[in-house]
Amino acid sequence: DYKGQKLAEQIFQGIILVSAIIGFIYGYIIEQFGWTVYIVMAGFALSCLLTLPPWPMYRRNPLKWLPVQESGTEEKKAADRKPKRHAKS
């Protein structure tokens, strides 16, 4: 559903943003850029774990689909169409 997709996107972006800020500050304090990268990668992994699987919290508002049509109705519609005539030059 669309609300679940929006929630997943907000969670994903929030975790990435927070981990980037924490990683930057920690890396700046200890003067090691590698730790910044590790913290951002850990945030990315955590956000993927929380947002990629179809958790029940993302499926609370299911979409209502149209009912299935019979296969014969498409054939009838194709037969009802008039063939297009091309203009003579």
Side-chain angles (χ1 to χ4, degrees):
D1 62 46
Y2 295 115
K3 290 181 182 180
Q5 289 177 359
K6 182 179 179 182
L7 177 63
E9 182 71 22
Q10 289 174 340
I11 290 172
F12 185 81
Q13 289 180 356
I15 291 173
I16 294 292
L17 180 66
V18 169
S19 68
I21 292 170
I22 291 171
F24 179 77
I25 292 170
Y26 184 72
Y28 185 78
I29 290 171
I30 65 167
E31 299 179 359
Q32 290 288 323
F33 182 72
W35 278 101
T36 301
V37 174
Y38 294 145
I39 291 171
V40 171
M41 287 178 16
F44 177 75
L46 177 65
S47 63
C48 286
L49 180 68
L50 292 177
T51 59
L52 290 180
W55 298 108
M57 65 182 174
Y58 302 130
R59 296 185 287 154
R60 290 185 180 163
N61 303 305
L63 297 175
K64 294 180 182 172
W65 296 92
L66 293 175
V68 177
Q69 295 180 354
E70 295 179 18
S71 62
T73 58
E74 292 178 11
E75 294 171 5
K76 290 178 185 176
K77 288 181 182 178
D80 292 340
R81 292 187 199 142
K82 294 182 182 179
K84 294 183 180 179
R85 295 183 182 177
H86 297 286
K88 295 180 182 179
S89 346

